[in-house]
Short mmCIF file of all heavy atoms in Angstrom, two decimals:
data_model
loop_
_atom_site.label_atom_id
_atom_site.label_comp_id
_atom_site.label_asym_id
_atom_site.label_seq_id
_atom_site.Cartn_x
_atom_site.Cartn_y
_atom_site.Cartn_z
N ASP A 64 23.13 -37.37 -24.49
CA ASP A 64 22.69 -38.36 -25.42
C ASP A 64 21.15 -38.42 -25.52
O ASP A 64 20.64 -38.64 -26.62
CB ASP A 64 23.19 -39.71 -24.86
CG ASP A 64 23.11 -40.79 -25.91
OD1 ASP A 64 23.04 -40.51 -27.09
OD2 ASP A 64 23.09 -42.00 -25.49
N GLY A 82 13.43 -32.72 -47.95
CA GLY A 82 14.00 -33.45 -49.15
C GLY A 82 13.09 -33.33 -50.23
O GLY A 82 13.56 -33.20 -51.43
N SER A 90 11.95 -24.99 -61.38
CA SER A 90 13.33 -24.47 -61.56
C SER A 90 14.11 -24.55 -60.19
O SER A 90 13.52 -24.72 -59.20
CB SER A 90 13.28 -23.09 -62.08
OG SER A 90 12.73 -22.22 -60.98
N GLU A 134 23.26 -31.10 -40.46
CA GLU A 134 23.93 -30.76 -41.72
C GLU A 134 23.30 -31.52 -42.90
O GLU A 134 23.08 -30.90 -43.96
CB GLU A 134 25.42 -31.20 -41.50
CG GLU A 134 26.09 -31.83 -42.73
CD GLU A 134 26.60 -30.80 -43.68
OE1 GLU A 134 26.89 -29.70 -43.24
OE2 GLU A 134 26.69 -31.02 -44.82
N GLU A 147 23.83 -27.12 -58.03
CA GLU A 147 23.07 -27.35 -59.28
C GLU A 147 22.82 -26.01 -60.00
O GLU A 147 23.10 -25.89 -61.17
CB GLU A 147 21.75 -28.03 -59.00
CG GLU A 147 20.93 -28.34 -60.24
CD GLU A 147 19.56 -28.91 -59.96
OE1 GLU A 147 19.41 -29.42 -58.81
OE2 GLU A 147 18.66 -28.83 -60.82
N PRO A 195 12.33 -13.24 -50.82
CA PRO A 195 12.82 -12.36 -51.80
C PRO A 195 14.10 -11.83 -51.40
O PRO A 195 15.00 -11.58 -52.24
CB PRO A 195 11.69 -11.35 -51.84
CG PRO A 195 10.46 -12.00 -51.35
CD PRO A 195 10.95 -12.95 -50.36
#
Side-chain angles (χ1 to χ4, degrees):
Chain A
D64 194 24
S90 67
E134 141 82 29
E147 180 185 341

